[in-house]
Amino acid sequence: MYTQERTAMANLVVGGPVAVNSYDNAIVAALVENRPVMLVHAFNGGFLRPVDLKESVHDKGVKLATTLDPDTKEAKGHLWYVTPGGFFGQRPLYFLESAAGQVTPKPVDPAGTAAGRGDDGTPKPQRRRISVHQDAPKAATADTVQLGLPDKVGDKWRGRNGAPEDTQLWVVTVTPWGGITFVPITHPDAILGFKDHAVTPENEVRLTYNWGGDFTGTIINTFYPRLPNEWNVPYHHVFT
């Protein structure tokens, strides 16, 4: 009954062969409207948040939290932007950017040149992005994920061939069960998951081997985007 009620939205296919459905308003908001969402885990209902919320910290990772404390909410540590970043073949690529620690650059004078200016002429905000270790997921002795600006993360989290962004670009795939998964373009045989494949409170996010072999991964690697007003509402009952 549930699947029969879902009507496909015309001409909207994101990251793969699965169409985004009209009721998946949070997926549309994240991928098309670039609105911040909570990335809620499919298995235990926790959400992704930076290990450190401060804007000055660029050498820490991301963790799965199961309680939304006031400090995290105040700092917007529970919100993420899935920002367009180009294409990989015909697949759109995205940055995973934290709303915590966001910095708005100062406007420049009209005669100056500022990269990354928005449509309204003001500089786009700088947000810390999830970076992938060059040797992931086999780098077992080091964290495989860092959250920071491209020029602030460690050398092994910067792009090869002089491109700082390639370690921060993700294939975002909508799964048949209404969630999304994240696959880094630098490691297409891996997927955004958790240390030891264990989905536990306060567990650390890692890049893990994608045993599923495709871009949808397994339920352990699936997240449901939720708009902030949908927190604590079961994902399969959110019909707006």
Side-chain angles (χ1 to χ4, degrees):
M1 184 64 181
Y2 169 63
T3 55
Q4 293 175 353
E5 291 176 350
R6 297 162 72 88
T7 305
M9 180 176 288
N11 301 322
L12 182 56
V13 179
V14 183
V18 181
V20 175
N21 295 304
S22 59
Y23 288 122
D24 295 317
N25 53 346
I27 295 179
V28 174
L31 300 180
V32 179
E33 301 173 12
N34 198 221
R35 290 169 57 189
V37 294
M38 298 183 71
L39 295 176
V40 180
H41 192 261
F43 189 73
N44 75 344
F47 65 96
L48 293 189
R49 60 149 284 181
V51 170
D52 196 301
L53 301 174
K54 295 191 293 290
E55 65 187 47
S56 59
V57 176
H58 302 275
D59 59 351
K60 303 294 183 183
V62 181
K63 68 177 183 179
L64 184 72
T66 52
T67 58
L68 182 55
D69 59 277
D71 291 340
T72 302
K73 193 170 183 179
E74 178 69 22
K76 298 184 179 179
H78 58 307
L79 297 179
W80 297 85
Y81 289 88
V82 187
T83 306
F87 289 88
F88 177 62
Q90 293 184 342
R91 288 181 178 271
L93 299 173
Y94 296 89
F95 299 112
L96 304 182
E97 300 181 323
S98 173
Q102 175 175 307
V103 178
T104 302
K106 296 180 179 178
V108 297
D109 62 277
T113 58
R117 296 174 69 85
D119 293 337
D120 57 357
T122 58
K124 293 182 179 179
Q126 294 180 336
R127 304 187 186 108
R128 294 181 296 169
R129 301 169 176 170
I130 296 182
S131 289
V132 173
H133 196 279
Q134 289 180 5
D135 299 329
K138 60 186 178 182
T141 58
D143 293 351
T144 58
V145 163
Q146 276 194 3
L147 186 71
L149 296 177
D151 59 340
K152 298 294 180 68
V153 295
D155 290 338
K156 279 292 186 175
W157 281 267
R158 295 179 186 171
R160 298 174 180 176
N161 303 320
E165 293 87 5
D166 62 5
T167 54
Q168 300 177 328
L169 286 168
W170 301 81
V171 176
V172 180
T173 302
V174 181
T175 66
W177 45 89
I180 56 177
T181 60
F182 304 104
V183 174
I185 64 167
T186 51
H187 306 287
D189 58 342
I191 202 164
L192 192 68
F194 297 94
K195 184 178 180 181
D196 302 321
H197 298 279
V199 186
T200 56
E202 306 302 315
N203 198 6
E204 300 168 62
V205 170
R206 290 285 190 274
L207 218 61
T208 61
Y209 284 106
N210 183 17
W211 305 115
D214 60 17
F215 282 101
T216 60
T218 63
I219 193 169
I220 288 180
N221 306 308
T222 298
F223 303 91
Y224 289 102
R226 292 276 60 91
L227 294 167
N229 63 323
E230 296 175 350
W231 179 240
N232 285 336
V233 179
Y235 67 91
H236 54 282
H237 292 311
V238 179
F239 281 10
T240 58

